[in-house]
Amino acid sequence: MRLRVDLHVKITFVFAVIFAVSLLGIFFYLNYNLRQYAYSRIKENLLKQTLLSQSLLEEYFSENLGYQELDPVADKISRDLGVRVTIIGLDGKVLGDSELDGETLYNVENHLYRPEVQDAFVSGTGESRRFSATVDQEMLYIASVFGSTRPEGVVRLSLPLSEIKLISARLKKILFLALIATFFLAIPVSFVALVFISRPIKEIASTARGIAGGDFSRRIWVSTNDEIGELAKTINYMSEQIKSRIEEVMSSTARLKAVLLSMFEGVMVVDGDGSILLMNHTLQNLWSINSDPAGKKPLEVIRNIEIQEITDDVLQHKRAVTTRELSIFIPQEKVLLVYATPVIRQRQIEGAVLVFHDVTELKRLERVRRDFVANVSHELRTPIASIKGYAETLLEGALQDKENAEDFVRIIYSDADRLAWLIDDILDLSKIESGKLKLDLKPCNIPPVLDRVVSGLKKYAEKNTITIEKDIPADIPAVLGDENRLAQVLLNLIDNAIKYNRKGGRIYIRARSQEKLVRIEVTDTGIGIPSSDVPRIFERFYRVDKARSRELGGTGLGLSIVKHIIVAHGGEVFVKSELGTGSTFSFTVPRV
């Protein structure tokens, strides 16, 4: 959670920082300049004293003093001026020093190459500022050549610069105290002043928050005529305008939303750049879109290049209406009819509207109708042609041939029987799909139903040398179902297992309880189903081996009927098959 800091506190802090920085700047400026001024004064005084010492030495030399008397002279000048005095010969030997005498003076190092001495030999006077190891502090040296008619030597005066440090330390103390006093005085004064200045700003902020929250009745009352007063008047005017505009927008939005929500078709509106402005719930559900699509391109949201192409085409070519039919496979297979039209204002395209019609069911029904007519026509044509052909043969005289006539009548009977099966299956399927099939749901035990079906198919299985094995637990729960329809399901599955099995093959029938369901499996050791045909095995009139199916009398509707009956019971149908090995058809039925 972030700590809230008021404006006057922030500005007071800024003022305090400004004062501190300003005073620190003044401190460093004065400290530097006073140090430089002190140094200049010390240097100027020392130079004057050096020239005075030069004149005194020239006077002594004029009286023909020897070098052995120069050390006392250095001591005397030092006492009078209060500085260290060193007298150096032209060869650099120290002849006198106010700080040294005796053996120490005699053994002092040669001063010929000292910077101030070298400068004095060149220009008459020289200076140097450096740290002296002898006295362990920074020193200022000024040297001058002395001699009335010719150079006799160099007199050098030195002074420690500790006075500058003393001045700097005293200045730091004074300025530090002034800084602290000014700093603590500025804080309360600034704080009090800014409390009064920021009070109108707080009121403006409070009112602005209310306006942002939707309370457009609030007004700012500021009596000043300065910039804050102008800001208050502007916000009051802005509040009135925003309220008016929002009411208009909300009214228009409500009407538009009502229209879009009432539309069964999907609608998408894009702007002139092709970015999505609006997408209704129907379209979002169609494409399983969970995030907000506004501001994105259609391709980013829908992931379909054809829709992006339609959008671009409408925006670029200003076509009145663009229509295209497209198929989608994600999240599920559907057929959509898309109408796209541009939104044109003052001859400029401001966007486009795309309407999506889901025609999947219409296409499916059209395909089903077409396939049904074709399949029924095909299925009916063969037995009718056979019946007609053999009947014509009999009418043309074959009735007299008793042996052949009997075979012809048997074939006519078989084809007529096949037609009856086909018509019965079509009627059953029609009842199921139209919802007219009434199931007599009641508790039903699977073993007796299975025994009755197997008993009816026993001779057919023996004829094909097929062995049927059952694995039904004695405690298998009863199911809630229509006994006759479940018998029809088992009859279809076991009959197919016999038809498409091998000579000497086997059929295994198992039943297992699974939570709230009972699962029944019919497994055969027959020819199996190619993996490419498995997804379509429950379609009407679909046959894997068409020639064998017709030879065995299949109508192609049995598995479709099985699926519809089980679905009507609230269960599911499954198939697993391996070509050349066999197939397993299973279904589930709710337990009682």
Side-chain angles (χ1 to χ4, degrees), residues 301-317:
V301 177
I302 297 179
R303 304 291 183 183
N304 187 289
I305 190 63
E306 290 185 83
I307 295 176
Q308 185 66 55
E309 290 175 352
I310 295 171
T311 305
D312 295 340
D313 186 53
V314 170
L315 293 175
Q316 291 173 8
H317 300 98

Side-chain angles (χ1 to χ4, degrees), residues 111-126 143 154:
H111 281 41
L112 178 63
Y113 294 107
R114 298 293 169 92
E116 65 276 4
V117 175
Q118 289 292 316
D119 290 343
F121 283 146
V122 174
S123 58
T125 59
V154 176

Side-chain angles (χ1 to χ4, degrees), residues 157-227:
L157 273 65
S158 61
L159 184 68
L161 297 178
S162 57
E163 184 178 350
I164 297 177
K165 290 185 178 180
L166 292 174
I167 293 173
S168 176
R170 191 175 298 118
L171 179 63
K172 285 180 181 177
K173 184 177 180 181
I174 295 171
L175 288 179
F176 180 74
L177 293 175
L179 172 64
I180 295 297
T182 305
F183 183 78
F184 283 105
L185 180 63
I187 290 177
V189 172
S190 300
F191 184 83
V192 173
L194 290 169
V195 165
F196 290 99
I197 295 173
S198 62
R199 185 175 296 167
I201 298 177
K202 285 186 176 179
E203 184 178 350
I204 291 174
S206 175
T207 304
R209 282 195 296 270
I211 293 172
D215 185 5
F216 298 104
S217 63
R218 299 188 61 173
R219 293 292 180 269
I220 304 171
W221 305 106
V222 178
S223 58
T224 59
N225 293 321
D226 54 11
E227 289 83 355

Side-chain angles (χ1 to χ4, degrees), residues 63-336:
E63 297 176 1
N64 299 316
L65 289 175
Y67 287 103
Q68 60 274 18
E69 286 83 14
L70 290 178
D71 186 48
V73 173
D75 294 339
K76 184 177 184 303
I77 295 173
S78 175
R79 285 193 298 272
D80 293 340
L81 299 180
V83 296
R84 181 180 180 181
V85 180
T86 304
I87 302 173
I88 305 167
L90 294 177
D91 59 352
K93 181 175 179 60
V94 177
L95 303 176
D97 193 296
S98 61
E99 300 291 334
L100 305 172
D101 53 18
E103 188 67 26
T104 305
L105 177 63
Y106 180 78
N107 292 324
V108 74
E109 63 181 356
N110 193 286
H111 281 41
L112 178 63
Y113 294 107
R114 298 293 169 92
E116 65 276 4
V117 175
Q118 289 292 316
D119 290 343
F121 283 146
V122 174
S123 58
T125 59
E127 67 172 274
S128 176
R129 180 178 179 178
R130 66 178 182 272
F131 183 81
S132 173
T134 304
V135 295
D136 193 27
Q137 59 182 322
E138 190 177 20
M139 303 288 290
L140 174 63
Y141 298 93
I142 295 182
S144 177
V145 176
F146 66 87
S148 55
T149 57
R150 61 185 180 81
E152 299 292 344
V154 176
V155 59
R156 185 186 73 176
L157 273 65
S158 61
L159 184 68
L161 297 178
S162 57
E163 184 178 350
I164 297 177
K165 290 185 178 180
L166 292 174
I167 293 173
S168 176
R170 191 175 298 118
L171 179 63
K172 285 180 181 177
K173 184 177 180 181
I174 295 171
L175 288 179
F176 180 74
L177 293 175
L179 172 64
I180 295 297
T182 305
F183 183 78
F184 283 105
L185 180 63
I187 290 177
V189 172
S190 300
F191 184 83
V192 173
L194 290 169
V195 165
F196 290 99
I197 295 173
S198 62
R199 185 175 296 167
I201 298 177
K202 285 186 176 179
E203 184 178 350
I204 291 174
S206 175
T207 304
R209 282 195 296 270
I211 293 172
D215 185 5
F216 298 104
S217 63
R218 299 188 61 173
R219 293 292 180 269
I220 304 171
W221 305 106
V222 178
S223 58
T224 59
N225 293 321
D226 54 11
E227 289 83 355
I228 294 178
E230 288 296 323
L231 177 61
K233 294 176 183 177
T234 303
I235 292 179
N236 289 335
Y237 176 75
M238 179 188 69
S239 174
E240 295 175 359
Q241 296 298 311
I242 290 176
K243 181 180 179 181
S244 175
R245 298 294 185 273
I246 287 179
E247 288 176 351
E248 293 177 6
V249 170
M250 290 180 65
S251 178
S252 300
T253 302
R255 288 195 296 269
L256 180 60
K257 185 176 182 181
V259 171
L260 290 177
L261 290 178
S262 64
M263 291 184 65
F264 179 76
E265 294 81 6
V267 178
M268 181 173 68
V269 182
V270 299
D271 60 18
D273 296 327
S275 299
I276 297 173
L277 294 175
L278 188 66
M279 182 182 290
N280 71 346
H281 296 304
T282 303
L283 188 58
Q284 291 188 36
N285 294 334
L286 180 65
W287 294 98
S288 299
I289 298 171
N290 298 319
S291 59
D292 185 9
K296 300 177 182 178
K297 299 291 185 182
L299 186 60
E300 298 177 47
V301 177
I302 297 179
R303 304 291 183 183
N304 187 289
I305 190 63
E306 290 185 83
I307 295 176
Q308 185 66 55
E309 290 175 352
I310 295 171
T311 305
D312 295 340
D313 186 53
V314 170
L315 293 175
Q316 291 173 8
H317 300 98
K318 299 183 181 180
R319 294 181 179 174
V321 177
T322 298
T323 305
R324 187 181 302 184
E325 184 180 291
L326 54 90
S327 299
I328 62 172
F329 301 95
I330 299 174
Q332 55 186 333
E333 184 177 357
K334 287 185 178 295
V335 180
L336 302 178

